[in-house]
Amino acid sequence: MAEFGNPDVIQEEVDILMIGGGMACCGAAYEVMRWTEVAKAEAGVDLKIKLVDKAAMDRSGAVAQGLSAINTYIGDKQDPADYARMVSNDLMGITRDDLAYDVGRNVDDSVHLFEEWGLPIWKLDANGERHDGAAAIGEGLPTLKDGGQPVRSGKWQIMINGESYKWIVAEAAKKALGMDRIEERIFIVKLINDANDKNRIAGAVGFSTRNHTLHIYKAKAILLAAGGCVNIFRPRSVGEGTGRAWYPVWNSGSTYSMAAEAGAELTMMENRFVPCRFKDGYGPVGAWFLLFKAKATNGYGEDYLSKNKAMLDQYPPYGQAAVPASCLRNHVMLKEMKEGRGPIWMDTVTALGNLRNTLSAREVKHLEAEAWEDFLDMCIGQCGIWVGENIEPEKKNSELMPTEPYLLGSHSGCCGIWVSGPTDLGAPTAADPEIDGVPAHLPKGWSWGYRGMTTVKGLFTAGDGVGASGHKFSSGSHTEGRLAARAMVKYCLDNKDLKVELDTPVDALVEEIYRPVRTYLEFKDYSTAIDVNPNYITPKMLQFRLQKIMDEYVAGVATYYNTNDKMLEVAEQKLEMLKEDAMKMRAKDLHELLRAWENYHRILTAEAHMKHIQFREESRYPGFYYRTDKNFVDEENWKVFGNSIYDKTTKKWTNFKRRHVDLVDKSKLFKAAAPH
Ligand code: SFD
Ligand code: AMP
């Protein structure tokens, strides 16, 4: 009879395993069944598929609460190359144009599906008036696919009524896959390599967060899309606010850490996202800047972006782009804060006032409602702050603040895993005429046949997992999941006769995963206070230690995002000791076992971040972090990808550079350096 610490072991063999139930895996779930049908019809192969999510798909992942915009929709007035340009510019020039372009040329199809599945999308009528999603349907305005015009908040973003966005996308994924191919509340702890080829994936292991069961999956192909990483830095929200963060606290670095342990090459793990957000509630700012045309000011009412624009001249060419990169927008804000001209305000009063001069009364009312709905859709806590602080945005401005850092590859950040690019893009160039005797289409090392496959055979990723190509957001992550699904089916067909074998015995897996439980059971009676015990540390306490180290030494909010080589040395030593002590984490119940393993994932992700910052001898992202000993952007030596490989046996990282190539002409970005 299974009990706590003595689980039933359930073993299963599938062809394709999908880890995660977020946007990327929902895309993959939808797409994979279509290609599975093709595989059955054309090759007579019946592929076995499984999806596991640590939570419940309807509300799991970053889109859990809903969203109020789709931030990546290309439409008919721009092309994927423009999109690749924007992605590159916002991420200071070091992105993979092949991956961004590929998302750009496919993403609209996902958005059209969302609308078909029931997502209400704001529309413009023939007179250019805005209607929200339900009204647009009521008035018979055409769908996007049929030429309907979306309401653009920005060049790339379109407005939605998206409180139930995730439900809608998850429902389609579940319908496509069928519930018998889905297991919710399974937390995957580690990937398992193949016994006969250590650079091939063979399976994954996890445990149920509800029952005493340990699950071991053997799989030929695995899609690891478990989101980004939150809570490795001490958050600004402490005490009664603890747990409040901008990106979802339940995305704990599983993607990066498990891939690294499996031997996959990581890329740009030095990159992070420090979003400028409404203070304390973490409400997103995009709708305010783009849709409401609001300005941010310092405490003395000055528009600091215009005032400090010359500061950006030291970062050519990125500082001179028509829209400065997200990090540079932070950079000018931080100057005001550091020099004592805070607080920073979002001037909602002027913005809403101005709208009255240009819009009809109906539209003004609609937009005022949207000011609330924007937060109610995706960041309810911010409404609580407004209510609690008597803020009516048309009468009283709100404070802005740069948050603690987050690691992600799908929003305005680009850390992640190095993956194979699309097979049908690019052309031979003088630098890369051919590779291994065949005409090259992408630079050497960018493509090995299966879109989204990592450097470990059979291991794929998407969304936050794919590095060096940010700004995919929800729609682009869904798209990448779909692209990976198709490539996984191809991989399975190309490896029809492959038999994978787990390189670790089942007993060893059980022992390792349940170590925190065993530690607890062995020592729990040593002291009378359950949380105070010299033989173990609680996951909560361990997390505080990790956050303190990262905050104080690896450019968190405590140092205004500054670090240097010497501070990183200290961080390195402290993380080393933290890793040792992590072996003594306890788990008094299944919930703590989850917390313990989330922490292991966070620590390895944090270490990757630290090692990459150490390796990159410049400050590529001013406003996200500064290496004060190398406080410049060095285009000559560092316009390269910073990549790494982790060796789980020696526990050592190897960092190295990979050549960066611009595949899309970037000069367009800088021709007319218009004021922002
Ligand atoms: O306002 C395991 N995002 C926005 N995207 C948009 O298109 N528009 C917006 O308006 C967006 N904004 C926004 C966004 C996110 C958040 C939190 C807020 C506001 C407040 C970004 C998107 O949400 C994001 O790009 C995608 O969701 C990324 O997709 P993906 O699939 O890479 O990650 P996921 O959706 O978080 O899913 C992760 C899944 O993995 C599961 N999981 N399962 C098993 N084992 C483990 N060990 C696991 N670890 C995690 C999770 O449960 C989840 O299912 S705005 O800021 O611009
Ligand atoms: P956010 O709400 O900050 O997550 O941003 C949503 C979208 O708006 C993303 O595509 C951002 O890149 C974009 N965005 C946010 N603020 C600005 C700004 N000041 N200028 C241009 N784009 C922005």
Side-chain angles (χ1 to χ4, degrees), residues 469-517:
S469 75
H471 286 268
K472 293 169 271 201
F473 298 99
S474 60
S475 48
S477 299
H478 191 266
T479 304
E480 265 190 343
R482 295 175 66 192
L483 295 169
R486 187 175 176 179
M488 285 193 295
V489 171
K490 181 171 180 335
Y491 174 85
C492 286
L493 291 184
D494 291 351
N495 292 277
K496 251 197 320 234
D497 301 323
L498 174 72
K499 285 264 169 266
V500 290
E501 210 182 302
L502 305 183
D503 73 356
T504 319
V506 171
D507 289 354
L509 292 171
V510 176
E511 262 328 290
E512 186 183 353
I513 290 175
Y514 280 81
R515 186 180 45 229
V517 176

Side-chain angles (χ1 to χ4, degrees), residues 19-26 52-57 60-72 160 165-166 186-189 224-228 244-248 250-255 258 273 277 282 284-287 374 378-379 410-411 462-465 472-478 601:
I19 303 174
M23 287 307 286
C25 276
C26 282
V52 288
D53 188 352
K54 78 189 259 195
M57 278 171 81
S60 69
V63 188
Q65 288 169 182
L67 296 178
S68 72
I70 284 178
N71 286 341
T72 306
I160 59 174
Y165 185 12
K166 183 65 201 303
I186 304 284
F187 181 79
I188 297 296
V189 170
L224 173 61
R244 184 75 201 101
W246 164 69
Y247 220 49
W250 46 86
N251 284 5
S252 55
S254 299
T255 309
M258 291 199 282
F273 182 35
R277 287 292 174 259
Y282 292 82
V285 297
D374 188 43
M378 64 177 153
C379 191
S410 73
H411 201 285
D464 276 328
K472 293 169 271 201
F473 298 99
S474 60
S475 48
S477 299
H478 191 266
H601 291 173

Side-chain angles (χ1 to χ4, degrees), residues 236-238 244-246 275-285 288 333 337 342-346 348 375 379-387 389 391 397-404 560:
R236 287 193 185 273
S237 305
V238 293
R244 184 75 201 101
W246 164 69
C276 162
R277 287 292 174 259
F278 281 85
K279 188 169 177 296
D280 300 332
Y282 292 82
V285 297
W288 280 96
M333 169 170 56
M337 298 181 82
I344 303 298
W345 295 105
M346 178 71 92
T348 60
F375 293 148
C379 191
I380 298 163
Q382 189 67 52
C383 291
I385 302 261
W386 273 3
V387 172
E389 296 190 354
I391 293 175
N397 291 333
S398 292
E399 248 186 273
L400 296 179
M401 194 75 164
T403 69
E404 58 282 348
Y560 267 121

Side-chain angles (χ1 to χ4, degrees), residues 24 62 72 83 87 90-91 94-96 99-100 103 224-230 246-248 251 253 255-256 267-274 405-419 451 461-478 480 605 609 621 624:
T72 306
Y83 169 70
V87 175
D90 201 66
L91 290 158
I94 310 179
T95 51
R96 290 263 303 265
L99 301 175
V103 168
L224 173 61
C229 191
V230 178
W246 164 69
Y247 220 49
N251 284 5
T255 309
Y256 312 126
T267 188
M268 303 307 288
M269 287 301 291
E270 60 272 39
N271 180 271
R272 52 169 65 180
F273 182 35
V274 174
Y406 298 92
L407 300 196
L408 44 80
S410 73
H411 201 285
S412 311
C414 66
C415 74
I417 308 169
W418 185 255
V419 300
R451 166 61 156 107
T461 191
D464 276 328
V466 175
S469 75
H471 286 268
K472 293 169 271 201
F473 298 99
S474 60
S475 48
S477 299
H478 191 266
E480 265 190 343
T605 303
H609 186 48
Y621 307 105
F624 285 176

